Amino acid sequence: TNALDYTLPDTIVIGAGLFQASVDLIAVNDAPLDENDEQVIIAANCNDGNCSGSSATTTTILDTTAAPTVTLAVGNTSISETGTTTKTAVTASINTVSQKTVTVNLAKIGTATEGADYTLVGTITISAGATSTSVTLTAVNDFPLDEVDEQVTITASCTDTCIGTSAQTVAIVDTTVAPTVTLDVSLGSISETVGTTTTVTATLTAT
């Protein structure tokens, strides 16, 4: 766009007795805006009757602004399988506006297992012109399974549309009540005779 991406006069005047004249096309440094490389098509024609025909040429304006830096944030650092806080927002942000669509990859590690303990998409897309987008991390209620509290660490990074990495850790609290134990014997009484035994069995109400 003229004035935003470059400057160029509207006319070239070739003086009498000359066959050539030049003007300068100057690229505009629009940092910190990150955008795609752009093309300018320059078309020439005469409207004063002193020349005929038309001609066009193309030049490319290369964007040299560094890609924006990504950061990751979460709404809650602890969620539970049941109750009022079973999910949290996961937000990827960039520090400057980009005219490119920014795709943020989410890597997940930790003691929690994706699918079994929580759900979360693998990428966050920040639309051109925006600076952040949020998705949702949701705990999975695996009742009646009783287990220890677990955690997942989410790391954000980009392939080429942003730079840097950023990580957040979320704890997933197990809310399943501990199982009840009952004890039973196979025989209510045994004798002193050698070899007489009874089996004592402990049973949980859930795993």
Side-chain angles (χ1 to χ4, degrees), residues 22 45 60 65 69-70 80 92 101 103 105 109 114-115 125 132 135 138 146 148 167 174 183-184 196 198-199:
S22 299
N45 58 71
T60 299
T65 304
T69 300
V70 65
S80 59
T101 298
T103 301
N105 302 312
I109 60 172
E114 185 174 8
T125 300
S132 66
V135 295
T138 303
D146 180 42
V148 298
D174 180 72
L183 206 62
D184 191 24
T196 303
T198 185
T199 301

Side-chain angles (χ1 to χ4, degrees), residues 12-22:
I12 300 177
V13 177
I14 303 175
L18 301 176
F19 69 91
Q20 187 180 70
S22 299

Side-chain angles (χ1 to χ4, degrees), residues 97-100 126-131:
V97 173
S98 176
Q99 287 191 348
K100 303 173 184 177
I126 303 176
S127 301
T131 55

Side-chain angles (χ1 to χ4, degrees), residues 25 35 47 51 53 60-61 110 115 120 124 133 150 179 187 196 200:
L25 185 154
E35 58 185 351
N47 57 14
C51 68
T60 299
I61 301 174
L120 179 64
I124 296 178
T133 300
E150 297 169 309
L187 296 174
T196 303
V200 180

Side-chain angles (χ1 to χ4, degrees), residues 29-52:
N29 182 4
D30 53 10
L33 180 63
D34 180 42
E35 58 185 351
N36 295 307
D37 297 341
E38 297 171 308
Q39 282 191 333
V40 181
I41 301 174
I42 309 162
N45 58 71
C46 290
N47 57 14
D48 59 6
N50 293 327
C51 68
S52 61

Side-chain angles (χ1 to χ4, degrees), residues 127-201:
S127 301
T131 55
S132 66
T133 300
S134 297
V135 295
T136 301
L137 168 67
T138 303
V140 173
N141 183 6
D142 53 10
F143 179 84
L145 179 64
D146 180 42
E147 57 186 350
V148 298
D149 296 343
E150 297 169 309
Q151 54 83 25
V152 55
T153 297
I154 311 156
T155 301
S157 65
C158 290
T159 302
D160 56 7
T161 51
C162 69
I163 59 176
T165 59
S166 182
Q168 292 287 337
T169 298
V170 177
I172 300 173
V173 179
D174 180 72
T175 55
T176 304
V177 176
T180 302
V181 64
T182 57
L183 206 62
D184 191 24
V185 292
S186 59
L187 296 174
S189 63
I190 57 175
S191 66
E192 297 177 346
T193 305
V194 176
T196 303
T197 61
T198 185
T199 301
V200 180
T201 303

